Amino acid sequence: MSFRILRTRRPDPHQHPLIVRLSSGFRRFQQRWYHPDEPLFRELRCGQKPMALVIACSDSRVDPVLLTDSRPGDLFVVRNVANLVHPYVPGGGAMGQSAALEYAVKHLKVQDIIVMGHACCGGIHALVTARARWLAGELRREAEEDEFIGPWVSVAMRALDRVEEAMPEACLGDKARACELWSVRLSLENLLTFPWVKEAVDEGRLALHGWYFDLQSGELLEFDPSEQAFRPLVGRPHAQDHESAHHERRFRTEHWEEHGEALWAHYDSRIMEEGDPRRDRKRRHPEHHRDYLPRVPHGHVPGRHD
C-alpha cells in the first residue's frame, strides 16, 4: 500500500487552537531556516555532525536547544524523565538511552557529553516523596498506578541515599534539590560504565560535563570534578539584563499592537503563493521581516494565535 501526499490546501482551515499555534511556529521556523540566503539545511541534508550529546530531562521547561540558543544540527539530544543515565548492561538495560549514547559516541563521534539537570524536577521530587511516604508507612494510590516512572527513577536511589546520609533532618524540598544535583553526578559515573565511553574519555577523545539549570535563580551551574562541587558557569541575570529585556518586550508588544493585524494579513497572503514565502521579503517589505515580529505569549493578540 502506498501513501499519497495531497499538495492542495485543506478545504477548511484548521481551527484547533493548539494546531494553529504550533503550525504558526513551524512556519516561522521555515522562514528562518529555509530561505535562499540560509545554507544551513542544504548542509544538514548531507548528514549531521553535532557539537555535543546532551542528556536532558523531558520537562517542557528545560529544552537544551532553547536554553543554549543552538541552531538545528548543533546538539544531539537525549531526553528522559529526570535526565538519568542507567548503568551499562550488556545486551539489555535502558535500550533507547543506550542506543542513542552508542550512536553519538561511536558513529557521530561527539567530543563532549553534557548531563543537564535542573531545579524543580518532577521525577526527582517523585522519588524523594515516595521514599518519605514509604518510611512513614503511607500508601500512595498514584504511585501504585504508575507502571514505569518508579522503576525508571529508582536508578537515582543511590543519589538519594547519599542525600539522606548528609542531611537527614532537611525538609523534602531541600532533599529534592540536593538529589537533583547528586543525580547529575551519578549519571556522570554511570556514563563511565559504558566501555566505549570510558575508552574515549581515557584517550582524551571525549569529555564529560555536568550542568544544572536553576529555574529559580536563572543561573547555570557546572560540576567541578576537582572540587566535587558545583560552580556557576553562567551567573544570575543582572538587573540591567532584566531592564534591557523589559524594554525589548515592551517594544515588541507595542509594535505588535500597532502593526500586528497588517503583518498577519501580509503573511496570510504570502502563504497562498507557491515557492518560498521568505523570497525577497526583506528587500521588498523590510517592515515585515521576521526580526520585526514580536514574540508575544499565546493569547495576547485578539483573534489570532501567535
Side-chain angles (χ1 to χ4, degrees):
M1 178 180 179
S2 62
F3 292 89
R4 295 183 300 160
I5 299 179
L6 303 178
R7 295 297 181 183
T8 56
R9 288 177 60 88
R10 293 173 59 92
D12 298 317
H14 214 307
Q15 298 299 319
H16 191 294
L18 175 64
I19 304 304
V20 172
R21 170 67 177 84
L22 297 182
S23 61
S24 297
F26 187 81
R27 188 176 302 136
R28 290 191 295 274
F29 166 81
Q30 287 180 321
Q31 292 157 5
R32 180 175 183 182
W33 297 111
Y34 276 88
H35 65 88
D37 298 329
E38 177 51 66
L40 178 63
F41 269 91
R42 289 201 297 271
E43 301 171 1
L44 291 178
R45 292 187 193 112
C46 300
Q48 60 174 319
K49 193 173 182 180
M51 299 183 298
L53 162 64
V54 179
I55 300 171
C57 186
S58 301
D59 194 304
S60 61
R61 301 165 293 179
V62 293
D63 186 333
V65 176
L66 293 177
L67 293 178
T68 59
D69 194 22
S70 295
R71 306 178 309 163
D74 283 351
L75 301 177
F76 189 79
V77 180
V78 176
R79 302 184 69 176
N80 61 57
V81 173
N83 47 266
L84 297 173
V85 176
H86 283 232
Y88 172 71
V89 178
M95 296 291 287
Q97 165 221 280
S98 300
L101 179 60
E102 183 177 44
Y103 184 70
V105 174
K106 287 187 175 183
H107 300 277
L108 298 179
K109 300 187 183 304
V110 297
Q111 299 181 12
D112 295 270
I113 298 178
I114 301 169
V115 178
M116 177 180 281
H118 69 97
C120 309
C121 179
I124 296 298
H125 183 268
L127 177 68
V128 174
T129 304
R131 164 74 73 86
R133 294 290 182 89
W134 180 75
L135 291 176
E138 300 176 3
L139 295 177
R140 294 179 59 206
R141 181 180 178 184
E142 61 270 26
E144 295 173 351
E145 293 178 348
D146 288 337
E147 185 177 357
F148 300 105
I149 296 176
W152 176 262
V153 299
S154 65
V155 72
M157 190 64 73
R158 187 155 58 94
L160 181 55
D161 290 339
R162 296 184 182 183
V163 171
E164 293 286 1
E165 293 174 5
M167 42 195 303
E169 303 301 325
C171 66
L172 289 181
D174 289 342
K175 287 183 179 179
R177 180 178 176 85
C179 191
E180 290 163 354
L181 294 165
W182 264 107
S183 67
V184 172
R185 300 174 60 174
L186 177 64
S187 289
L188 293 174
E189 295 175 6
N190 288 342
L191 281 172
L192 293 174
T193 65
F194 290 81
W196 22 270
V197 171
K198 188 176 188 308
E199 179 183 356
V201 170
D202 291 342
E203 294 178 357
R205 295 183 284 108
L206 181 64
L208 308 183
H209 312 272
W211 287 5
Y212 179 82
F213 170 45
D214 192 338
L215 278 76
Q216 297 171 335
S217 68
E219 61 185 337
L220 180 65
L221 307 179
E222 181 180 36
F223 180 63
D224 184 347
S226 62
E227 297 291 338
Q228 293 291 296
F230 283 84
R231 296 179 181 275
L233 179 62
V234 180
R236 301 186 180 194
H238 299 295
Q240 64 184 49
D241 295 334
H242 287 297
E243 184 177 354
S244 175
H246 170 74
H247 285 306
E248 180 181 356
R249 287 194 300 271
R250 182 176 179 181
F251 165 77
R252 289 179 178 273
T253 301
E254 291 175 350
H255 186 83
W256 181 266
E257 290 173 350
E258 183 178 356
H259 304 290
E261 289 301 319
L263 288 171
W264 271 110
H266 170 74
Y267 279 108
D268 287 344
S269 65
R270 295 289 291 174
I271 291 166
M272 299 297 294
E273 298 179 13
E274 293 292 330
D276 193 329
R278 182 67 181 269
R279 188 181 305 276
D280 295 330
R281 176 177 299 162
K282 186 175 181 181
R283 179 175 60 82
R284 294 189 291 124
H285 301 283
E287 71 277 16
H288 295 154
H289 189 249
R290 67 169 300 277
D291 291 338
Y292 288 84
L293 278 175
R295 298 178 181 179
V296 296
H298 171 62
H300 281 207
V301 183
R304 294 287 183 181
H305 298 281
D306 179 27

